Amino acid sequence: MERLRALSGLFTCVGCRPRRRRHHSRGRVTGPVPEAAPTFATVVTSLLERLQDEEGDRAQTYCELESVLWGDDSRLQCGVVNRLIAEVSRDLTAEQGVTEDTKMAASDVLVALARSHFSFVIAELQAQLKAPGEISKEFVLITVGKLISTYALQCIPFMRMMLLGLRTVVGQLGSSRILRAACGVLEQWAKGVNIYICTWKGCPLPATEKEQLYENLSQVFCSVAGNWLDCQEEEDKQAVIRAMTPLMCVLLHKEEHREQVWEQLLWLLHQYQTAQDTSRVTKSLIYFLEALEQVQTLIPKGKCLAITSVVYNELTDETKERSQDHKAELTQCILLQARICPEETILFLESQLGHEREAGRVAALGLLGALARCDEPAMTEKLPQVVEAVKCVCRDPSTRVRRAVLHFIRELLSANAQSCSAWDVVGYIFSEFSQSSSRRAAGLLSAQEAREEGGLQGLCMDVLGSLDISVRGMAKLLWPRLLIYVLPAKYTGMLIPLSRCLRALAERNELTAACEHQELDPDVLNSLLQETTLTPHTLLARLLVVAGSPFAGSELQAAALLVMQSLHSRIHGAVGAMWNTEIPLLLQYLKGENENIPDSAGWERRLLKFLRASLETIKDDAWVKRLSCELSQRLDSSPSGSGEKAFLYKALGTTLGACQELPHVQEKLLQHLKKAKPEEPSEAQGIISLVCQAADSHFRLVLETFTTFAATLCNVRCFGVSRRKKMTQASMRAQAACNAAMLAYSSMALRASEEQLLARVEADIVGNILLLYISSSKNLPKNLALVQSITEVGRAIQAVGNFGSFDPVLQHKLLLILQNLMKKTLWDFPASSLHLKVILALEQWSKLKISFSRKEICSLLSDCCQSILIPPSAAEQMEEIGNAEVAVLQLQSLHVATKALGRLMAVVLETKPTPVVFVDIVHVLWLWLSSDNPWVRKRALQVCAQLLADCRDGTRCAYVPFGSLAGLLGPLTYDPVTSSRQLAATCLSSLLHIQAKATNRVFETDDPASSCEGLSNRIATSQQLQTSVKIGEIVCKNFPKEQAADFMNAIKETFRRARGRRVRAAGNWMITFLKICGKDILPDVPGVLFILLTCTWSMLETSFMYFVHDAVLILARYHEELTIDFIIQNFVPMDRNTLELWRTLGKDSIGICVLKRLSEKLKRVGDNSSKPSSSSRRLEDQQPSPESLTVACAISEVVSVQSEEGVQSLLPSLLPGLLLQVSEALGEEMLFAPLSPWRGLSEDQRREDNVRRL
């Protein structure tokens, strides 16, 4: 009945009256389905019946019902609506027996039903709120809140009546959950009312209703303030805050209620001290301040300060942890407060700039920066005042405050640059950058402090780089102030953002002469006009130094170029077009575009070329002269050893080269030559760079000037220092000057033209180099300088191509000096670098086709090998030196030296491509490749590998000592050292390619280099040997047969000097060679057999003698008669090795043939001995010949290992000769003459007995 009475009271608002409710609350819904929407009504009715019959899950049924209601706009019969609302309300207000899910689903059904029957639903909810008794009103309130948020416009007419119901709830709270639900309803209702109060459009309420609405809201507000503000639970507090704030905003619209609002505002601010989650308080305060701004009413005195103070203290309280979002919300509160009360807020923030707490000062600066950024007329008027206040904290030493000031400047400049007229903010940015740089450079900061100062530097660059040139007054602020900061070196790091600003100004035509002094402050203008260093020459010199500094980084170098391009009109009017073309190309090179990989040396050459082209474009000797003076001054003031000074030497030399006033050029050269400190390596290199760059255009003048300077060095007598005294600083400086002078002469030779070089190289360049060398005591630096000078002179002569014009006597003198240096200097660190440089110098001069004799070549290469190949191993050097880094450097130098020695041999061979020279080089390497020292062999292999690689890639060799090299390298493929094995395989690969090129044929077999993996330590020893033999087969298949003896001699050398694995490999290679090539080497067989004969008595390890026997056996298979004759004639008959050799031959399949040959040989020997002699000679006087004895011994050994059948088949031919030898040995004639093989068996038996007896 309460619901019906409520509906009747709302009749005038909704325009309809609901049907009366049946008295039996649980009766069935009867009657036909309305014809308007049969499907919709049928479904709703079916679901309602399911709820009434309590079938199935009620929550699920409610969800289905909600979906149906949202899916159709059709209206239901009033009876169906009433019963549906009654069913839902019963579940919604049930104290027990209904789950929260079911209640929430029921609440959603009411919200969906309100879509088409709003007045029914709102009346029911109002009745439930006002209903007395113990019913649960929590979900009723939740439903009301949902209804308001979903149907805000439709709720307005029912606002006053709903507030009456809420007033009832406020005074009858039973639990915290109901309180929070009621607060949610109040929050939604108050926000909705506040929206419509601000507009009043579309609201059907008359004026009297509006006033009544305000009154009801005031009563609710008072009721809430009186009943709920003292709750203790955190969730309850948050709910009350959310409800009270929109109520306060609504009441702000009526003046008579504002006093209540101001009272409760203090309560809201007090929640920062009591609430745990203050972010909700901040959100509510933002909502209130936004509403207060719209109302546009005056705030009572003190309230604005109270709000600002509380929020500011909350923002700066470092004891509380806040999220970034919360901090942003607190800042927004201050900004809203400033829009409402700008004067009070700014005064408060300015007062905080002097606060003792660092966090307070930082927060005040941040808030003032945020205010400066906002585009408010009131704030714009106050900016000059704010700027003056911020200037007071510029000297604050705190890093956080300094950072906050920079952030404030960024915000200020992004909003209004005109406000900075009273404060040079640009100067402050650069000053902060310089201060941070100085503090970091001092090295007195902790790691944390250094990071903070580095962050400040980065912030300075960000602030300057983020400036918007289009902001009004920015051009006036920046130009021409920025020019002041281009010059000092302490602002170098700021060139990157500085270049962006200047480039932007240039694009806006702000750098034109007409705009230079426009609207400038008089004091600024006077300061700039008095800046005497601001000249085109100082600008160009400064920017060139930054662009050329190798330590600046590509980004900073690019910035310097961009500044240069932007200021081209202020540097010189003639370079504009040329720079607009060339500078973009330089920038592309810096970025690595067009497949260029920038390096410092290449970049420096490009930049100096750009400078030279610029000076040639200017064509103003006076201007160039002033630039050289500016560079000279900077050179004098630059610290020694810096990259800046190194580049300045080159830039000054380039500028002097472009200057046509020769006396000035000579004066500047002598000035810096005398001032330099050549004992410092960077200064010595600077002298060389200065002289060489100037010599490009004034070679004759520079050479004569430098010779004059060098003459003073030669006349200094302080070089001869007593042995008992330490070298003085003056003598050290003089020696360093001599060294630098020698290098300067050779560097000038490299830059001279052909005509200039040929006219001056002997007397003025090489002659002065030698004069400087002999004028002082010899030491390692002096020797290094001499060798490098000789190398560079040789390179210069090679570059011009006129080799024959250089004096041969002087050539040999230089080479003799180099060779003596190599011989007399022991290999040691750092002397190892001298050996390397000597090798490189010899390589260079060898390219000049100097007429060496064979003896000189062998002597030179032998001395080089003696110096390079014999140093101790890596482990020995590490133990000897004791310094791992020094040992590593020495080993690296040694490795490079071996490569250089190989190239030297290749150059010698290329300049003298004769077979004799190649053979001589191999003979030089022979000793070292067969050394017992594994490290010597390894280094010799490195030399050989480089030599053969260069020969393979070079021109075709007419003759290749293939046999000797193969015999030397083959056994090394089974060397104990892994790297040596692999190097030997690589050498053999190159050798095969060289041989193929020499014979004009294609190398078709496998490449030995592909077998290197089979020679590694991971492979078993037996497999390594198999790999070595496989490589031998590849080599032998491509073997030039005419070099068989050379190969065997090399193998013999391994037998003579080696042990173990190398001997085994040599034997296998020899056997492999003879198996493959033995048939085709008939002319060399005697020589090969003789080599094998020498191996029998020269082999170091006789346990490998079986390789010799097998080799002879293989030759006997191919060349039986020749081999047997050689053995009989040359081998020692009764020697153990000879006897074993015969047994080896007898065991083989050719044993019968060997025995037959021996019998024939024995017969021929017997026939010769049985020829008629003088009658006076008696039998007993005859003695067997040595040859017959040798043959008999051989037959004995062969027969001892032959089968009976084989011996029996040869008895007719063997026995006569043997008997004859017995007769001669015994001195009496045997009873049986030689028998014919056709005698009977008894005679054969007797013959066999005689043989046995013999």
Side-chain angles (χ1 to χ4, degrees):
M1 295 304 294
E2 290 291 338
R3 177 163 54 85
L4 291 177
R5 284 194 295 271
L7 281 174
S8 62
L10 293 171
F11 179 79
T12 58
C13 295
V14 298
C16 64
R17 183 182 296 275
R19 295 182 60 182
R20 293 184 62 83
R21 182 180 178 185
R22 294 187 181 183
H23 292 284
H24 48 284
S25 59
R26 298 300 302 268
R28 282 276 183 186
V29 178
T30 59
V33 178
E35 296 180 1
T39 304
F40 171 68
T42 302
V43 173
V44 172
T45 303
S46 174
L47 293 173
L48 178 57
E49 290 177 355
R50 192 192 302 176
L51 289 171
Q52 290 175 334
D53 294 341
E54 298 185 358
E55 296 177 358
D57 185 358
R58 296 184 67 81
Q60 180 63 32
T61 304
Y62 278 131
C63 291
E64 295 177 11
L65 184 57
E66 178 194 3
S67 177
V68 172
L69 292 173
W70 281 116
D72 200 312
D73 293 336
S74 302
R75 294 182 63 84
L76 298 169
Q77 284 186 342
C78 292
V80 176
V81 173
N82 290 332
R83 293 190 177 279
L84 178 58
I85 291 176
E87 190 68 25
V88 172
S89 297
R90 185 176 66 85
D91 287 338
L92 205 63
T93 59
E95 291 286 345
Q96 298 178 354
V98 181
T99 64
E100 290 190 1
D101 291 342
T102 302
K103 290 185 177 184
M104 191 63 70
S107 173
D108 294 337
V109 167
L110 284 181
V111 175
L113 182 62
R115 183 186 183 192
S116 54
H117 300 80
F118 184 81
S119 59
F120 286 84
V121 175
I122 197 71
E124 177 65 21
L125 293 175
Q126 181 184 359
Q128 294 295 345
L129 288 176
K130 298 169 67 175
E134 297 296 331
I135 64 170
S136 176
K137 297 183 180 181
E138 177 186 359
F139 281 91
V140 176
L141 293 169
I142 292 174
T143 307
V144 172
K146 292 180 181 178
L147 208 64
I148 297 170
S149 62
T150 307
Y151 309 103
L153 180 63
Q154 295 171 268
C155 289
I156 294 301
F158 304 95
M159 190 74 70
R160 184 172 60 85
M161 300 182 64
M162 186 59 67
L163 288 174
L164 294 174
L166 289 175
R167 285 180 59 190
T168 305
V169 174
V170 170
Q172 299 178 357
L173 290 179
S175 67
S176 295
R177 294 183 60 175
I178 295 178
L179 183 146
R180 291 192 290 272
C183 287
V185 174
L186 284 175
E187 179 184 4
Q188 296 296 331
W189 276 101
K191 287 182 178 180
V193 171
N194 191 48
I195 292 173
Y196 285 96
I197 287 177
C198 293
T199 60
W200 293 117
K201 294 179 180 180
C203 180
L205 293 179
T208 55
E209 289 289 334
K210 295 176 185 177
E211 294 298 328
Q212 188 63 43
L213 181 62
Y214 275 124
E215 187 62 32
N216 291 335
L217 281 173
S218 175
Q219 294 175 3
V220 172
F221 180 77
C222 295
S223 179
V224 171
N227 294 284
W228 294 355
L229 297 187
D230 57 350
C231 55
Q232 300 299 319
E233 295 292 334
E234 179 66 20
E235 293 186 14
D236 296 347
K237 287 183 181 180
Q238 298 293 339
V240 172
I241 292 172
R242 287 195 300 268
M244 283 292 289
T245 305
L247 286 172
M248 293 163 59
C249 295
V250 172
L251 296 178
L252 278 175
H253 292 274
K254 300 300 288 182
E255 186 174 356
E256 59 270 22
H257 300 300
R258 287 173 187 166
E259 189 62 33
Q260 299 175 349
V261 175
W262 302 131
E263 292 177 1
Q264 299 308 318
L265 175 61
L266 297 177
W267 167 83
L268 180 61
L269 296 175
H270 181 70
Q271 300 309 304
Y272 277 112
Q273 301 177 7
T274 60
Q276 297 177 6
D277 182 11
T278 57
S279 62
R280 180 64 257 174
V281 181
T282 305
K283 289 182 175 63
S284 298
L285 186 58
I286 290 174
Y287 185 82
F288 175 79
L289 291 174
E290 289 174 346
L292 182 61
E293 185 181 14
Q294 292 178 357
V295 173
Q296 297 181 351
T297 183
L298 294 177
I299 303 178
K301 187 176 181 179
K303 293 295 188 293
C304 178
L305 182 60
I307 297 173
T308 308
S309 299
V310 171
V311 175
Y312 180 80
N313 292 332
E314 181 70 14
L315 182 62
T316 59
D317 189 357
E318 294 182 329
T319 61
K320 298 180 180 180
E321 294 185 3
R322 301 175 193 83
S323 65
Q324 292 298 323
D325 292 340
H326 190 196
K327 292 179 180 179
E329 290 167 351
L330 290 169
T331 302
Q332 186 180 357
C333 286
I334 299 292
L335 296 179
L336 288 169
Q337 185 73 358
R339 290 208 295 263
I340 299 169
C341 307
E343 184 73 28
E344 292 84 349
T345 305
I346 291 175
L347 287 175
F348 173 80
L349 294 177
E350 289 176 354
S351 67
Q352 298 303 311
L353 292 176
H355 200 281
E356 60 182 6
R357 286 195 309 128
E358 179 187 81
R361 302 195 298 275
V362 171
L365 286 168
L367 292 169
L368 288 173
L371 292 175
R373 186 177 64 249
C374 68
D375 189 15
E376 294 289 338
M379 282 306 304
T380 304
E381 295 177 1
K382 299 291 183 181
L383 279 181
Q385 172 187 337
V386 172
V387 170
E388 285 294 333
V390 173
K391 284 176 61 177
C392 299
V393 296
C394 287
R395 297 183 180 276
D396 196 310
S398 168
T399 304
R400 292 180 60 190
V401 175
R402 291 162 59 197
R403 177 180 292 275
V405 171
L406 289 171
H407 281 295
F408 170 79
I409 291 175
R410 171 155 52 189
E411 301 296 347
L412 181 64
L413 292 177
S414 65
N416 192 332
Q418 290 180 323
S419 303
C420 305
S421 58
W423 180 27
D424 184 10
V425 292
V426 176
Y428 177 80
I429 295 172
F430 281 92
S431 175
E432 277 297 308
F433 183 88
S434 175
Q435 182 181 348
S436 296
S437 301
S438 301
R439 286 170 58 85
R440 295 182 70 189
L444 302 177
L445 303 177
S446 64
Q448 177 63 28
E449 290 173 338
R451 284 193 295 270
E452 291 176 354
E453 293 295 338
L456 276 175
Q457 285 184 293
L459 181 58
C460 290
M461 296 175 65
D462 291 342
V463 172
L464 188 62
S466 62
L467 296 182
D468 185 0
I469 306 300
S470 63
V471 174
R472 183 183 177 188
M474 187 64 72
K476 173 187 173 183
L477 177 71
L478 297 180
W479 178 257
R481 283 185 177 91
L482 290 181
L483 289 182
I484 302 175
Y485 303 107
V486 175
L487 299 179
K490 59 184 179 180
Y491 301 136
T492 299
M494 294 289 280
L495 274 181
I496 296 174
L498 188 62
S499 67
R500 192 199 68 82
C501 292
L502 289 174
R503 191 168 182 81
L505 288 170
E507 291 174 354
R508 291 171 56 85
N509 297 321
E510 296 289 349
L511 302 187
T512 60
C515 300
E516 180 177 1
H517 306 314
Q518 183 179 358
E519 297 182 353
L520 280 180
D521 295 333
D523 55 341
V524 175
L525 181 59
N526 293 333
S527 174
L528 293 173
L529 292 177
Q530 292 173 3
E531 185 63 45
T532 57
T533 61
L534 193 62
T535 66
H537 312 92
T538 55
L539 275 175
L540 181 58
R542 168 70 177 139
L543 295 173
L544 280 174
V545 168
V546 177
S549 176
F551 307 104
S554 59
E555 191 176 0
L556 195 57
Q557 290 171 324
L561 290 175
L562 290 172
V563 172
M564 198 183 301
Q565 186 177 9
S566 301
L567 301 177
H568 67 84
S569 60
R570 300 197 166 264
I571 294 175
H572 200 283
V575 297
M578 181 260 185
W579 283 8
N580 287 333
T581 302
E582 294 298 325
I583 288 180
L585 297 178
L586 291 174
L587 294 174
Q588 287 181 6
Y589 181 81
L590 271 180
K591 294 177 181 178
E593 297 180 2
N594 300 327
E595 299 181 355
N596 291 321
I597 301 176
D599 63 281
S600 58
W603 168 247
E604 204 171 64
R605 287 193 298 270
R606 285 175 174 264
L607 192 60
L608 293 174
K609 182 179 178 181
F610 166 77
L611 173 61
R612 183 59 183 268
S614 301
L615 297 177
E616 291 174 353
T617 303
I618 292 173
K619 296 180 181 179
D620 186 346
D621 286 342
W623 197 96
V624 175
K625 180 179 177 181
R626 287 195 295 271
L627 177 62
S628 67
C629 292
E630 176 63 32
L631 291 171
S632 178
Q633 292 176 5
R634 285 186 172 271
L635 182 60
D636 291 337
S637 60
S638 296
S640 297
S642 63
E644 175 183 339
K645 191 163 190 176
F647 178 77
L648 278 170
Y649 270 117
K650 298 174 184 177
L652 178 58
T654 302
T655 306
L656 292 176
C659 183
Q660 300 305 315
E661 293 190 18
L662 301 186
H664 174 73
V665 174
Q666 190 173 30
E667 177 190 352
K668 287 298 176 185
L669 283 175
L670 288 173
Q671 172 188 339
H672 288 286
L673 287 174
K674 294 176 181 179
K675 285 185 177 180
K677 300 177 181 178
E679 64 272 18
E680 299 180 11
S682 60
E683 289 283 301
Q685 185 58 46
I687 293 174
I688 298 170
S689 301
L690 172 65
V691 172
C692 292
Q693 293 292 336
D696 282 344
S697 300
H698 308 299
F699 181 80
R700 183 172 174 272
L701 173 68
V702 173
L703 184 59
E704 291 175 354
T705 304
F706 193 75
T707 301
T708 303
F709 169 72
T712 62
L713 299 177
C714 296
N715 294 330
V716 176
R717 294 301 180 214
C718 60
F719 293 149
V721 181
S722 174
R723 294 180 181 179
R724 297 181 180 180
K725 296 181 180 180
K726 293 184 178 180
M727 187 176 294
T728 63
Q729 184 177 1
S731 63
M732 292 176 60
R733 182 172 184 177
Q735 285 199 10
C738 283
N739 299 343
M742 287 191 290
L743 295 173
Y745 273 119
S746 60
S747 298
M748 280 191 285
L750 287 171
R751 293 174 173 269
S753 64
E754 180 178 357
E755 180 182 357
Q756 293 169 340
L757 181 66
L758 297 180
R760 301 277 186 167
V761 65
E762 294 178 3
D764 294 334
I765 296 179
V766 176
N768 284 324
I769 289 174
L770 295 178
L771 183 61
L772 287 166
Y773 179 68
I774 63 176
S775 66
S776 62
S777 58
K778 310 300 185 297
N779 52 28
L780 180 60
K782 176 64 68 66
N783 292 336
L784 287 172
L786 174 67
V787 173
Q788 184 175 343
S789 300
I790 295 175
T791 305
E792 291 177 349
V793 171
R795 192 179 300 126
I797 296 174
Q798 183 189 12
V800 300
N802 196 340
F803 305 148
S805 62
F806 194 77
D807 185 7
V809 177
L810 189 54
Q811 291 179 357
H812 281 82
K813 183 177 181 179
L814 294 177
L815 294 176
L816 182 61
I817 292 173
L818 294 174
Q819 190 172 354
N820 289 334
L821 285 175
M822 178 73 76
K823 292 168 62 176
K824 294 179 181 180
T825 306
L826 297 176
W827 180 276
D828 194 7
F829 188 85
S832 57
S833 58
L834 177 62
H835 292 78
L836 173 59
K837 287 183 178 293
V838 171
I839 294 292
L840 296 175
L842 291 171
E843 176 190 355
Q844 180 59 51
W845 279 86
S846 299
K847 298 176 183 177
L848 304 184
K849 299 182 179 179
I850 300 175
S851 56
F852 292 109
S853 65
R854 286 187 62 189
K855 183 177 179 181
E856 289 173 333
I857 291 175
C858 293
S859 174
L860 178 64
L861 296 180
S862 297
D863 289 341
C864 292
C865 291
Q866 183 73 23
S867 300
I868 299 299
L869 302 182
I870 62 172
S873 66
E876 292 170 341
Q877 291 190 47
M878 194 77 71
E879 182 179 355
E880 209 175 286
I881 297 174
N883 188 326
E885 294 182 0
V886 174
V888 169
L889 289 174
Q890 186 164 343
L891 290 173
Q892 291 175 349
S893 179
L894 180 61
H895 179 73
V896 176
T898 56
K899 296 281 188 181
L901 180 55
R903 291 195 301 271
L904 170 61
M905 292 180 176
V907 170
V908 171
L909 185 59
E910 184 180 356
T911 54
K912 293 182 175 297
T914 62
V916 175
V917 174
F918 209 156
V919 171
D920 288 342
I921 292 175
V922 173
H923 285 167
V924 170
L925 286 173
W926 194 308
L927 174 66
W928 309 101
L929 288 173
S930 57
S931 171
D932 292 335
N933 190 323
W935 301 110
V936 173
R937 292 197 304 271
K938 176 183 174 181
R939 292 164 189 155
L941 281 169
Q942 291 174 340
V943 175
C944 186
Q946 186 65 48
L947 165 65
L948 295 177
D950 289 352
C951 293
R952 179 191 61 194
D953 300 333
T955 58
R956 186 174 70 88
C957 299
Y959 172 80
V960 181
F962 191 94
S964 299
L965 285 171
L968 284 170
L969 297 170
L972 293 174
T973 57
Y974 194 53
D975 193 90
V977 180
T978 302
S979 55
S980 296
R981 296 195 295 270
Q982 295 175 340
L983 281 169
T986 303
C987 291
L988 289 168
S989 172
S990 298
L991 183 63
L992 287 172
H993 285 88
I994 295 170
Q995 177 68 14
K997 185 187 292 186
T999 55
N1000 292 322
R1001 61 184 180 84
V1002 179
F1003 176 54
E1004 298 179 350
T1005 55
D1006 295 335
D1007 195 331
S1010 62
S1011 302
C1012 287
E1013 183 62 29
L1015 300 174
S1016 66
N1017 272 338
R1018 296 189 299 271
I1019 307 301
T1021 305
S1022 59
Q1023 293 180 348
Q1024 293 175 12
L1025 182 60
Q1026 292 177 5
T1027 303
S1028 175
V1029 173
K1030 179 183 176 182
I1031 295 174
E1033 293 174 353
I1034 296 172
V1035 172
C1036 293
K1037 289 177 182 177
N1038 297 272
F1039 205 95
K1041 308 303 186 294
E1042 63 276 7
Q1043 297 189 34
D1046 295 336
F1047 174 81
M1048 293 300 296
N1049 274 320
I1051 294 294
K1052 180 192 71 173
E1053 189 68 19
T1054 303
F1055 284 158
R1056 188 176 69 86
R1057 304 186 60 175
R1059 295 178 182 273
R1061 292 171 57 123
R1062 291 165 53 207
V1063 180
R1064 187 182 302 278
N1068 280 281
W1069 271 68
M1070 178 178 68
I1071 298 301
T1072 302
F1073 168 73
L1074 292 175
K1075 285 181 179 179
I1076 296 175
C1077 304
K1079 186 177 181 180
D1080 303 323
I1081 60 171
L1082 179 60
D1084 292 321
V1085 169
V1088 172
L1089 287 170
F1090 182 78
I1091 292 171
L1092 293 173
L1093 171 62
T1094 59
C1095 289
T1096 59
W1097 52 264
S1098 65
M1099 182 177 287
L1100 190 61
E1101 289 195 21
T1102 57
S1103 59
F1104 294 102
M1105 191 64 69
Y1106 64 88
F1107 283 118
V1108 177
H1109 300 158
D1110 292 343
V1112 175
L1113 173 61
I1114 294 171
L1115 287 174
R1117 290 173 183 169
Y1118 293 131
H1119 314 285
E1120 181 181 317
E1121 183 176 359
L1122 185 60
T1123 304
I1124 293 175
D1125 288 345
F1126 185 89
I1127 298 173
I1128 293 173
Q1129 293 173 8
N1130 296 282
F1131 280 65
V1132 180
M1134 302 302 293
D1135 183 71
R1136 182 181 61 182
N1137 291 324
T1138 305
L1139 298 178
E1140 182 62 31
L1141 173 61
W1142 286 117
R1143 286 193 292 271
T1144 301
L1145 294 174
K1147 292 176 184 178
D1148 193 70
S1149 58
I1150 65 169
I1152 296 298
C1153 298
V1154 171
L1155 193 57
K1156 184 176 179 181
R1157 291 282 184 186
L1158 289 174
S1159 66
E1160 293 173 356
K1161 183 70 175 178
L1162 185 62
K1163 181 179 179 182
R1164 286 196 299 272
V1165 173
D1167 292 343
N1168 293 334
S1169 64
S1170 61
K1171 288 180 180 180
S1173 59
S1174 62
S1175 57
S1176 61
R1177 186 177 179 185
R1178 297 170 55 87
L1179 181 62
E1180 56 271 15
D1181 296 333
Q1182 296 183 11
Q1183 294 296 329
S1185 65
E1187 184 178 6
S1188 63
L1189 182 60
T1190 301
V1191 175
C1193 291
I1195 291 174
S1196 174
E1197 296 302 322
V1198 173
V1199 167
S1200 67
V1201 294
Q1202 275 292 324
S1203 63
E1204 291 185 2
E1205 292 79 3
V1207 175
Q1208 288 177 2
S1209 65
L1210 293 178
L1211 274 178
S1213 58
L1214 278 175
L1215 193 56
L1218 293 173
L1219 290 176
L1220 179 60
Q1221 296 301 317
V1222 171
S1223 298
E1224 292 180 355
L1226 296 178
E1228 59 182 36
E1229 189 173 358
M1230 299 299 294
L1231 296 176
F1232 301 103
L1235 299 178
S1236 171
W1238 291 277
R1239 300 293 179 93
L1241 179 61
S1242 59
E1243 294 180 359
D1244 292 339
Q1245 185 66 39
R1246 285 194 298 270
R1247 226 176 6 252
E1248 183 177 353
D1249 293 339
N1250 290 334
V1251 170
R1252 291 195 183 110
R1253 186 163 50 85
L1254 178 63

